[in-house]
Amino acid sequence: MLGAARQKMLGQSLQRIRPMEKVFRSYSSAAKQMTVREALNSALDEEMSADPKVFLMGEEVGEYQGAYKISKGLLDKYGPERVLDTPITEAGFTGIGVGAAYYGLRPVIEFMTFNFAMQAIDHIINSAAKSNYMSAGQMTVPIVFRGPNGAAAGVGAQHSQCYAAWYGSCPGLKVLSPYSSEDARGLLKAAIRDPDPVVFLENELIYGESFPVSSEALDSSFCLPIGKAKIEREGKDVTITAFSKMVGFSLKAAEILEKEGISAEVINLRSIRPLDRSTINASVRKTNRLVTVEEGFPQHGVGAEICATVVEDSFGYLDAPVERIAGADVPMPYAANLERMAVPQVEDIVRAAKRACYRYVSTAAAA
Amino acid sequence: MAFCMRISRNFIHTLKSKVGFFRRDLTPWLTSPCVQIFENPDPILQTNVTRFTSRRFESIKAEEQCSSADHAQVLDFPGGKVAFTPQMEFLSESPEVRSPCYRVLDEYGLSIEHSSFAEVSKEVAIKMYSDMVTLQTMDTIFYEAQRQGRMSFYVTTIGEEAINIASAAALSISDIVVPQYREPGVLLWRGFSLQEFANQCFGNKGDNGKGRQMPAHYGSNKHNYFTIASTIATQLPHAVGAAYSLKMDKKDACVATYFGDGGSSEGDFHAALNFAAVLEAPVIFICRNNGWAISTPLSDQFRSDGIVVRGKAYGVRSIRVDGNDALAMYSAVHAARKMAISESRPILIEALTYRVGHHTTSDDSTKYRSADEIECWRVKRDPVSRFRKWIESNGWWCDETEMELRSSVRKQLLHAIQVAEQAEKPPIRDLFTDVYDVPPANLCEQEKLLKETIKRYPQEYPAHVSV
């Protein structure tokens, strides 16, 4: 008991210096509940208050309090000079944000969804990601692009794509995808403070979900390291990697697998680029089996990169082929039953983990 | 909904003045039946009275509006009152008369009578002319170097020297310049040396761009000149963002951004002008309308009266200028700068000129335009000789100084090329730096491995490239 208390105190004070260690308890016992929405809002509020150079720009962020109410109260607190409602030109306001960042401000650009960011992707890649390199360090771009990514519910093909793989392939960008409220707070703060351009992929369906947050996470100087994954659940039989909403599904799958005698280790990637290859490989070396889970399209996805990195670094440790769970290779359908089949479900993850453990379930049964 | 209420109020007031008896405020007329009308029927209303008032009220309203002479003739709409007209008239797609072009010096370099322009001192005029000559000579020599295979690529500015130099002269060093790629003259004016130009073109160790980009993609923080990117018109929203930042910092400076006639077709042009107007950003948009976007002539690019008329569409003050008249360019930019900063507004300047050279060294423009056309603009409308005539007429220049300048510049350029060509290339480590603020682990590891490989097999790697 005493040991646990001491460990907790030590853990809290060393949290920032020590790399993410595997702890059984994810959060401190004196937990407050916070939705992801509140977490993002508080992170934005604190960073804007700490640094006058930080400003928010996007459609509906001001008067409307944010399309998903993430920026609630910020216009009233900071005024229209720092919370800018923009006309409907993603390319326009993204370019303007990049220009302001070239000058030295720290913009946070909100996209109503990253599907709309495709109209601005030239500015994200060509003007933000590559500029520091092309200008030989003369033009830095301390900008954050954030917004919901991936499937929501019943919004169809043009509102449901996951862009983690697209942005994750680009050198010059950092790509983050939080799951819990603590992730959301810590990673958004880190993103805003980071001198490089950061793509921050949120998820609309988790905005309303509540998670416990430690008192340390509530501190205004709280920050999570970029490029470090988190082991959400320890296990020894199979490694399951996931990010964003799929972390929740993977944890549920792990519960089901536990009952069947399979101990799954669930890794919350948190950072798509840079990918925490050392944590993933260390886990696979322990469990010898890997299932990658993502919501996006299967070809050239995040799972493909994770599989390649494990094959490169830990081939000898694999006891089974790597299993990839991804969204269906179709544009997202609208009808609820079709949509459900186009996105990974908990059963899919359970089946894949079993396959990796050679507890074979025929794929015909899945259809 | 709001303006419907106002119309109804106007109507009600008119009715009131005619009939003068409404006892209650009728503003919620859409929802509540207007019982009181029937209590004291008006002669006009009487004929059409029924119980169902809202609909009846509407048709009566139309009748009322037609019959009343001093009735509302304007629509109170966001942005200002709009007058109604019973005549159906479409705004013409092209004006009868095109927007006039501001010019101060004629083809012979003599100042036109009754012209208004900003005063230019002898020192500034001489520097302007010298820089125009330097730019012209640099273009000629670097172009030749490319043709000889010494340089891989080059972009000339022939024919647009006046736009480059005169606009630069009218700005101050604290103004941020956000270029496209045909504005090296602005950098030249600000003090970028010929050696630095050559270094960038040869991508050697002296290049402050660390050999990362193609030739003619200059950039210099020291000279407040954003690094050139090849993407067309993307710099326009960047310029607005930078201008907005200047405004937030309350700096006594503006942003000047350049683009071509082709660039004005990009979506970014629309977004930038629109936003600049809405955000009230102090930015000068300078369009070099030089007639060609690679091989696309103006008639295939747009059907508007050039670019100047578009300013009005966005609520941006604009002017059309003779881009080959250095004095007119100087005056226009000088005035634009004052307005942009003091009134915190964007200004659009369309400079009419001609791209005498090819699009780049990868292009042969004789394939899509006549050699005569090129010759005409190159000789008869050369901005450099035109300005020369003006400064000569002021007694500030003569043939001797001309010869001295040209031979000196030529010598410096040839020397710069020689030095740049023989200089060492950037070190291998510059492959890996600046991707991020701090080099990431994977790149550090790769750099280490590469160094080891080079050490182990030195004969496979060029000797004059340091690690």
Side-chain angles (χ1 to χ4, degrees):
Chain A
M1 213 40 184
L2 216 62
R6 206 190 316 132
Q7 184 185 49
K8 187 175 75 167
M9 268 166 40
L10 209 59
Q12 278 180 356
S13 59
L14 286 180
Q15 190 95 28
R16 255 162 262 141
I17 336 170
R18 229 192 270 165
M20 219 60 225
E21 354 103 16
K22 310 175 197 84
V23 288
F24 275 103
R25 200 76 71 84
S26 308
Y27 314 105
S28 98
S29 50
K32 177 186 159 190
Q33 294 282 336
M34 194 186 238
T35 61
V36 171
R37 180 176 286 117
E38 286 164 358
L40 293 169
N41 182 271
S42 61
L44 276 171
D45 192 353
E46 285 162 23
E47 291 306 304
M48 285 178 77
S49 147
D51 185 350
K53 286 192 162 52
V54 178
F55 71 98
L56 178 63
M57 186 153 66
E59 292 154 8
E60 312 297 328
V61 296
E63 294 284 350
Y64 195 74
Q65 310 296 316
Y68 300 99
K69 307 288 180 254
I70 305 296
S71 51
K72 188 163 173 202
L74 295 179
L75 175 65
D76 285 335
K77 191 165 174 188
Y78 297 101
E81 277 215 332
R82 291 186 67 198
V83 179
L84 281 92
D85 274 323
T86 64
I88 308 177
T89 335
E90 277 73 13
F93 63 74
T94 309
I96 287 176
V98 171
Y102 285 167
Y103 174 85
L105 296 187
R106 305 188 82 97
V108 176
I109 305 296
E110 174 172 315
F111 294 113
M112 212 176 277
T113 86
F114 267 93
N115 294 272
F116 308 158
M118 285 203 283
Q119 299 194 284
I121 204 168
D122 178 70
H123 280 292
I124 298 176
I125 310 293
N126 276 333
S127 301
K130 300 180 183 170
S131 280
N132 197 33
Y133 191 76
M134 276 167 43
S135 72
Q138 293 186 94
M139 275 155 48
T140 63
V141 196
I143 197 169
V144 175
F145 303 106
R146 49 161 293 270
N149 174 59
V155 288
Q158 294 173 337
H159 291 72
S160 307
Q161 189 165 339
C162 173
Y163 293 89
W166 283 32
Y167 292 118
S169 70
C170 236
L173 279 184
K174 287 182 176 159
V175 183
L176 304 175
S177 193
Y179 162 62
S180 64
S181 304
E182 201 159 300
D183 287 356
R185 254 184 76 79
L187 292 177
L188 185 55
K189 278 163 155 307
I192 294 175
R193 294 181 202 172
D194 199 283
D196 296 310
V198 181
V199 171
F200 195 81
L201 305 170
E202 302 159 4
N203 188 294
E204 191 201 318
L205 296 176
I206 319 183
Y207 279 154
E209 232 178 275
S210 220
F211 293 89
V213 271
S214 62
S215 48
E216 195 210 1
L218 293 170
D219 185 53
S220 66
S221 60
F222 176 66
C223 204
L224 283 175
I226 292 179
K228 283 254 128 257
K230 178 180 178 195
I231 300 187
E232 293 284 348
R233 181 196 171 106
E234 280 211 356
K236 53 185 180 54
D237 293 330
V238 60
T239 301
I240 304 178
T241 63
F243 60 95
S244 189
K245 189 152 134 274
M246 290 294 122
V247 175
F249 280 31
S250 302
L251 288 168
K252 289 204 188 92
E255 298 272 338
I256 296 173
L257 288 165
E258 189 73 49
K259 296 196 183 79
E260 311 210 14
I262 296 177
S263 156
E265 179 151 291
V266 177
I267 300 183
N268 172 6
L269 292 175
R270 281 182 167 174
S271 181
I272 309 292
R273 177 180 255 270
L275 201 54
D276 190 351
R277 297 167 203 271
S278 53
T279 300
I280 296 168
N281 275 288
S283 174
V284 171
R285 289 179 183 212
K286 186 174 77 168
T287 65
N288 312 122
R289 294 159 208 280
L290 175 62
V291 176
T292 69
V293 183
E294 66 194 293
E295 229 181 20
F297 298 135
Q299 188 166 344
H300 307 302
V302 175
E305 176 63 29
I306 293 177
C307 174
T309 202
V310 162
V311 161
E312 280 165 11
D313 291 345
S314 312
F315 183 65
Y317 292 82
L318 283 170
D319 283 350
V322 176
E323 293 281 340
R324 273 191 299 175
I325 293 295
D329 201 19
V330 299
M332 182 69 69
Y334 165 73
N337 64 325
L338 297 180
E339 186 186 48
R340 198 180 181 284
M341 302 209 67
V343 177
Q345 302 298 336
V346 176
E347 308 88 71
D348 298 311
I349 305 173
V350 170
R351 257 198 306 274
K354 282 187 176 163
R355 278 199 300 271
C357 294
Y358 293 129
R359 310 265 193 96
Y360 189 66
V361 179
S362 88
T363 43
Chain B
M1 206 34 103
F3 81 83
C4 291
M5 295 306 231
R6 269 186 228 114
I7 290 180
S8 68
R9 272 201 215 100
N10 284 334
F11 167 58
I12 288 161
H13 283 134
T14 320
L15 261 187
K16 255 194 192 163
S17 64
K18 284 188 174 315
V19 181
F21 61 74
F22 286 157
R23 283 168 293 149
R24 276 176 16 205
D25 182 28
L26 272 186
T27 28
W29 67 276
L30 281 170
T31 50
S32 57
C34 304
V35 175
Q36 51 273 51
I37 302 173
F38 307 127
E39 290 172 7
N40 296 292
D42 169 84
I44 295 166
L45 293 171
Q46 192 154 30
T47 44
N48 299 318
V49 160
T50 66
R51 283 185 176 282
F52 305 103
T53 52
S54 330
R55 301 269 295 292
R56 189 46 43 197
F57 211 36
E58 263 183 274
S59 62
I60 292 170
K61 174 167 76 99
E63 205 183 294
E64 256 303 308
Q65 282 188 322
C66 287
S67 58
S68 135
D70 56 11
H71 203 55
Q73 297 296 323
V74 290
L75 176 58
D76 207 344
F77 202 75
K81 294 198 197 306
V82 180
F84 287 116
T85 168
Q87 304 306 324
M88 180 172 69
E89 229 180 273
F90 286 78
L91 299 176
S92 171
E93 71 280 5
S94 58
E96 277 175 23
V97 176
R98 296 188 66 173
S99 287
C101 178
Y102 170 59
R103 135 202 282 215
V104 158
L105 298 179
D106 64 19
E107 305 95 80
Y108 306 106
L110 303 172
S111 67
I112 297 169
E113 252 188 87
H114 311 302
S115 56
S116 58
F117 57 90
E119 284 300 315
V120 175
S121 72
K122 177 178 172 190
E123 287 75 36
V124 173
I126 289 181
K127 182 170 177 356
M128 273 170 68
Y129 181 72
S130 312
D131 279 0
M132 282 166 75
V133 169
T134 306
L135 176 58
Q136 197 180 52
T137 316
M138 179 173 88
D139 275 351
T140 316
I141 291 181
F142 280 19
Y143 179 86
E144 280 168 20
Q146 194 277 341
R147 282 288 179 256
Q148 290 165 13
R150 295 164 83 185
M151 208 187 276
S152 68
F153 173 82
Y154 191 67
V155 181
T156 60
T157 311
I158 310 277
E160 303 182 42
E161 293 89 352
I163 296 178
N164 269 236
I165 303 297
S167 65
L171 299 168
S172 89
I173 189 66
S174 53
D175 297 324
I176 302 175
V177 172
V178 185
Q180 176 70 81
Y181 49 58
R182 219 181 285 281
E183 301 90 17
V186 181
L187 196 49
L188 179 69
W189 173 272
R190 289 185 164 196
F192 207 61
S193 72
L194 298 177
Q195 190 62 62
E196 287 176 294
F197 278 113
N199 286 343
Q200 197 284 332
C201 287
F202 282 89
N204 63 31
K205 200 173 64 166
D207 174 21
N208 75 336
K210 295 184 191 168
R212 301 263 171 77
Q213 293 219 69
M214 291 171 76
H217 285 62
Y218 316 108
S220 173
N221 272 9
K222 196 170 76 162
H223 301 97
N224 243 342
Y225 188 92
F226 275 15
T227 303
I228 291 172
S230 311
T231 43
I232 301 291
T234 52
Q235 75 278 8
L236 298 179
H238 298 166
V240 177
Y244 184 76
S245 316
L246 279 178
K247 189 169 108 153
M248 273 176 76
D249 276 358
K250 298 191 176 45
K251 289 247 163 68
D252 178 28
C254 69
V255 174
T257 182
Y258 299 78
F259 58 102
D261 41 287
S264 76
S265 295
E266 282 280 358
D268 275 344
F269 166 84
H270 155 82
L273 279 230
N274 193 34
F275 267 89
V278 170
L279 292 175
E280 292 169 8
V283 52
I284 307 174
F285 293 99
I286 302 175
C287 175
R288 296 175 292 95
N289 184 347
N290 62 18
W292 295 91
I294 310 190
S295 68
T296 308
L298 295 182
S299 57
D300 286 347
Q301 194 67 250
F302 45 66
R303 290 301 166 87
S304 54
D305 172 21
I307 286 104
V308 66
V309 291
R310 301 193 200 171
K312 197 164 168 186
Y314 295 108
V316 173
R317 198 174 290 172
S318 24
I319 187 171
R320 170 175 276 164
V321 181
D322 179 352
N324 289 1
D325 177 346
L327 220 47
M329 269 312 297
Y330 179 90
S331 307
V333 176
H334 183 83
R337 181 179 184 273
K338 232 195 251 166
M339 285 189 273
I341 297 175
S342 63
E343 297 174 52
S344 194
R345 62 164 62 249
I347 309 282
L348 171 65
I349 297 178
E350 179 188 14
L352 302 183
T353 181
Y354 190 80
R355 192 197 74 209
V356 172
H358 307 304
H359 170 65
T360 61
T361 49
S362 309
D363 173 47
D364 175 11
S365 59
T366 56
K367 291 253 185 306
Y368 50 79
R369 55 185 188 175
S370 73
D372 290 337
E373 181 190 298
I374 305 174
E375 227 13 61
C376 167
W377 279 89
R378 192 180 71 80
V379 175
K380 292 214 203 95
R381 300 181 184 175
D382 177 30
V384 183
S385 47
R386 199 156 136 200
F387 195 57
R388 176 182 168 179
K389 294 194 183 94
W390 185 72
I391 56 171
E392 277 178 347
S393 73
N394 283 348
W396 297 338
W397 200 256
C398 64
D399 285 340
E400 259 176 58
T401 37
E402 175 80 11
M403 257 169 49
E404 267 173 41
L405 173 69
R406 284 199 184 260
S407 76
S408 148
V409 166
R410 189 179 170 80
K411 231 186 272 174
Q412 283 176 56
L413 282 162
L414 291 172
H415 177 76
I417 290 187
Q418 210 178 20
V419 169
E421 204 170 19
Q422 289 165 359
E424 232 180 76
K425 294 297 182 211
I428 300 260
R429 70 172 167 276
D430 277 347
L431 178 61
F432 303 102
T433 52
D434 302 320
V435 181
Y436 296 101
D437 188 54
V438 170
N442 65 323
L443 291 184
C444 288
E445 195 190 317
Q446 283 181 25
E447 192 190 334
K448 197 165 75 87
L449 288 173
L450 182 57
K451 277 201 175 110
E452 284 167 15
T453 309
I454 294 175
K455 213 163 151 188
R456 216 178 311 153
Y457 307 103
Q459 68 280 7
E460 304 287 344
Y461 289 88
H464 63 276
V465 180
S466 68
V467 177

mmCIF file of all heavy atoms in Angstrom, chain A residues 237-255:
data_model
loop_
_atom_site.group_PDB
_atom_site.id
_atom_site.type_symbol
_atom_site.label_atom_id
_atom_site.label_comp_id
_atom_site.label_asym_id
_atom_site.label_seq_id
_atom_site.Cartn_x
_atom_site.Cartn_y
_atom_site.Cartn_z
ATOM 1 N N ASP A 237 -0.094 -11.849 -24.769
ATOM 2 C CA ASP A 237 -0.296 -12.797 -25.865
ATOM 3 C C ASP A 237 -0.323 -12.151 -27.249
ATOM 4 O O ASP A 237 0.130 -12.749 -28.220
ATOM 5 C CB ASP A 237 -1.618 -13.562 -25.644
ATOM 6 C CG ASP A 237 -1.544 -14.460 -24.431
ATOM 7 O OD1 ASP A 237 -0.417 -14.926 -24.137
ATOM 8 O OD2 ASP A 237 -2.578 -14.680 -23.783
ATOM 9 N N VAL A 238 -0.912 -10.974 -27.349
ATOM 10 C CA VAL A 238 -1.017 -10.334 -28.669
ATOM 11 C C VAL A 238 -1.016 -8.819 -28.465
ATOM 12 O O VAL A 238 -1.585 -8.317 -27.487
ATOM 13 C CB VAL A 238 -2.284 -10.819 -29.428
ATOM 14 C CG1 VAL A 238 -3.544 -10.500 -28.647
ATOM 15 C CG2 VAL A 238 -2.374 -10.198 -30.806
ATOM 16 N N THR A 239 -0.337 -8.116 -29.391
ATOM 17 C CA THR A 239 -0.314 -6.646 -29.346
ATOM 18 C C THR A 239 -1.372 -6.102 -30.285
ATOM 19 O O THR A 239 -1.447 -6.530 -31.440
ATOM 20 C CB THR A 239 1.063 -6.118 -29.793
ATOM 21 O OG1 THR A 239 2.060 -6.640 -28.931
ATOM 22 C CG2 THR A 239 1.098 -4.598 -29.771
ATOM 23 N N ILE A 240 -2.173 -5.183 -29.779
ATOM 24 C CA ILE A 240 -3.158 -4.519 -30.639
ATOM 25 C C ILE A 240 -2.816 -3.038 -30.665
ATOM 26 O O ILE A 240 -2.790 -2.394 -29.622
ATOM 27 C CB ILE A 240 -4.597 -4.689 -30.099
ATOM 28 C CG1 ILE A 240 -4.930 -6.175 -29.928
ATOM 29 C CG2 ILE A 240 -5.603 -4.010 -31.031
ATOM 30 C CD1 ILE A 240 -6.316 -6.426 -29.365
ATOM 31 N N THR A 241 -2.517 -2.503 -31.874
ATOM 32 C CA THR A 241 -2.243 -1.055 -31.963
ATOM 33 C C THR A 241 -3.487 -0.375 -32.517
ATOM 34 O O THR A 241 -4.160 -0.914 -33.394
ATOM 35 C CB THR A 241 -1.061 -0.736 -32.888
ATOM 36 O OG1 THR A 241 -1.395 -1.158 -34.211
ATOM 37 C CG2 THR A 241 0.203 -1.414 -32.451
ATOM 38 N N ALA A 242 -3.759 0.821 -32.002
ATOM 39 C CA ALA A 242 -4.933 1.556 -32.472
ATOM 40 C C ALA A 242 -4.719 3.028 -32.172
ATOM 41 O O ALA A 242 -3.793 3.407 -31.446
ATOM 42 C CB ALA A 242 -6.195 1.073 -31.774
ATOM 43 N N PHE A 243 -5.564 3.884 -32.775
ATOM 44 C CA PHE A 243 -5.535 5.301 -32.419
ATOM 45 C C PHE A 243 -6.949 5.846 -32.499
ATOM 46 O O PHE A 243 -7.823 5.267 -33.159
ATOM 47 C CB PHE A 243 -4.590 6.096 -33.320
ATOM 48 C CG PHE A 243 -4.925 6.065 -34.780
ATOM 49 C CD1 PHE A 243 -5.691 7.075 -35.356
ATOM 50 C CD2 PHE A 243 -4.453 5.044 -35.579
ATOM 51 C CE1 PHE A 243 -5.998 7.048 -36.708
ATOM 52 C CE2 PHE A 243 -4.751 5.016 -36.934
ATOM 53 C CZ PHE A 243 -5.529 6.026 -37.507
ATOM 54 N N SER A 244 -7.191 6.890 -31.770
ATOM 55 C CA SER A 244 -8.478 7.568 -31.733
ATOM 56 C C SER A 244 -9.586 6.599 -31.292
ATOM 57 O O SER A 244 -9.383 5.796 -30.403
ATOM 58 C CB SER A 244 -8.750 8.185 -33.105
ATOM 59 O OG SER A 244 -9.882 9.019 -33.055
ATOM 60 N N LYS A 245 -10.699 6.638 -31.949
ATOM 61 C CA LYS A 245 -11.864 5.868 -31.478
ATOM 62 C C LYS A 245 -11.572 4.378 -31.388
ATOM 63 O O LYS A 245 -12.086 3.667 -30.507
ATOM 64 C CB LYS A 245 -13.019 6.107 -32.452
ATOM 65 C CG LYS A 245 -14.322 5.558 -32.002
ATOM 66 C CD LYS A 245 -15.447 6.371 -32.588
ATOM 67 C CE LYS A 245 -16.503 5.442 -33.148
ATOM 68 N NZ LYS A 245 -16.225 5.023 -34.509
ATOM 69 N N MET A 246 -10.729 3.882 -32.251
ATOM 70 C CA MET A 246 -10.439 2.446 -32.275
ATOM 71 C C MET A 246 -9.750 1.974 -31.003
ATOM 72 O O MET A 246 -9.738 0.769 -30.714
ATOM 73 C CB MET A 246 -9.614 2.109 -33.505
ATOM 74 C CG MET A 246 -10.423 2.221 -34.793
ATOM 75 S SD MET A 246 -11.727 1.003 -34.913
ATOM 76 C CE MET A 246 -13.173 2.011 -35.088
ATOM 77 N N VAL A 247 -9.175 2.891 -30.226
ATOM 78 C CA VAL A 247 -8.567 2.491 -28.954
ATOM 79 C C VAL A 247 -9.663 1.973 -28.037
ATOM 80 O O VAL A 247 -9.504 0.928 -27.380
ATOM 81 C CB VAL A 247 -7.820 3.675 -28.305
ATOM 82 C CG1 VAL A 247 -7.296 3.291 -26.932
ATOM 83 C CG2 VAL A 247 -6.695 4.136 -29.186
ATOM 84 N N GLY A 248 -10.786 2.675 -28.007
ATOM 85 C CA GLY A 248 -11.924 2.246 -27.184
ATOM 86 C C GLY A 248 -12.404 0.867 -27.607
ATOM 87 O O GLY A 248 -12.663 -0.005 -26.777
ATOM 88 N N PHE A 249 -12.534 0.690 -28.924
ATOM 89 C CA PHE A 249 -12.978 -0.613 -29.435
ATOM 90 C C PHE A 249 -11.973 -1.699 -29.074
ATOM 91 O O PHE A 249 -12.348 -2.825 -28.720
ATOM 92 C CB PHE A 249 -13.118 -0.549 -30.968
ATOM 93 C CG PHE A 249 -14.393 0.097 -31.441
ATOM 94 C CD1 PHE A 249 -15.005 1.102 -30.708
ATOM 95 C CD2 PHE A 249 -14.971 -0.292 -32.636
ATOM 96 C CE1 PHE A 249 -16.176 1.701 -31.149
ATOM 97 C CE2 PHE A 249 -16.140 0.303 -33.095
ATOM 98 C CZ PHE A 249 -16.750 1.299 -32.353
ATOM 99 N N SER A 250 -10.686 -1.368 -29.188
ATOM 100 C CA SER A 250 -9.657 -2.367 -28.896
ATOM 101 C C SER A 250 -9.672 -2.767 -27.430
ATOM 102 O O SER A 250 -9.458 -3.939 -27.096
ATOM 103 C CB SER A 250 -8.273 -1.827 -29.266
ATOM 104 O OG SER A 250 -8.244 -1.472 -30.629
ATOM 105 N N LEU A 251 -9.940 -1.787 -26.559
ATOM 106 C CA LEU A 251 -10.010 -2.107 -25.137
ATOM 107 C C LEU A 251 -11.181 -3.039 -24.858
ATOM 108 O O LEU A 251 -11.069 -3.999 -24.082
ATOM 109 C CB LEU A 251 -10.107 -0.819 -24.304
ATOM 110 C CG LEU A 251 -8.820 -0.001 -24.227
ATOM 111 C CD1 LEU A 251 -9.061 1.375 -23.636
ATOM 112 C CD2 LEU A 251 -7.759 -0.742 -23.415
ATOM 113 N N LYS A 252 -12.296 -2.768 -25.524
ATOM 114 C CA LYS A 252 -13.469 -3.662 -25.364
ATOM 115 C C LYS A 252 -13.134 -5.051 -25.885
ATOM 116 O O LYS A 252 -13.478 -6.069 -25.283
ATOM 117 C CB LYS A 252 -14.670 -3.103 -26.126
ATOM 118 C CG LYS A 252 -15.286 -1.867 -25.523
ATOM 119 C CD LYS A 252 -16.742 -1.706 -25.939
ATOM 120 C CE LYS A 252 -17.264 -0.346 -25.483
ATOM 121 N NZ LYS A 252 -17.088 0.707 -26.526
ATOM 122 N N ALA A 253 -12.453 -5.090 -27.026
ATOM 123 C CA ALA A 253 -12.070 -6.386 -27.589
ATOM 124 C C ALA A 253 -11.159 -7.121 -26.618
ATOM 125 O O ALA A 253 -11.267 -8.349 -26.444
ATOM 126 C CB ALA A 253 -11.372 -6.173 -28.927
ATOM 127 N N ALA A 254 -10.259 -6.374 -25.980
ATOM 128 C CA ALA A 254 -9.326 -7.001 -25.038
ATOM 129 C C ALA A 254 -10.074 -7.632 -23.870
ATOM 130 O O ALA A 254 -9.688 -8.697 -23.375
ATOM 131 C CB ALA A 254 -8.322 -5.967 -24.539
ATOM 132 N N GLU A 255 -11.160 -6.977 -23.413
ATOM 133 C CA GLU A 255 -11.975 -7.523 -22.337
ATOM 134 C C GLU A 255 -12.557 -8.867 -22.753
ATOM 135 O O GLU A 255 -12.546 -9.840 -22.005
ATOM 136 C CB GLU A 255 -13.146 -6.577 -22.021
ATOM 137 C CG GLU A 255 -12.749 -5.197 -21.524
ATOM 138 C CD GLU A 255 -12.574 -5.170 -20.019
ATOM 139 O OE1 GLU A 255 -13.139 -6.036 -19.341
ATOM 140 O OE2 GLU A 255 -11.831 -4.280 -19.542
#
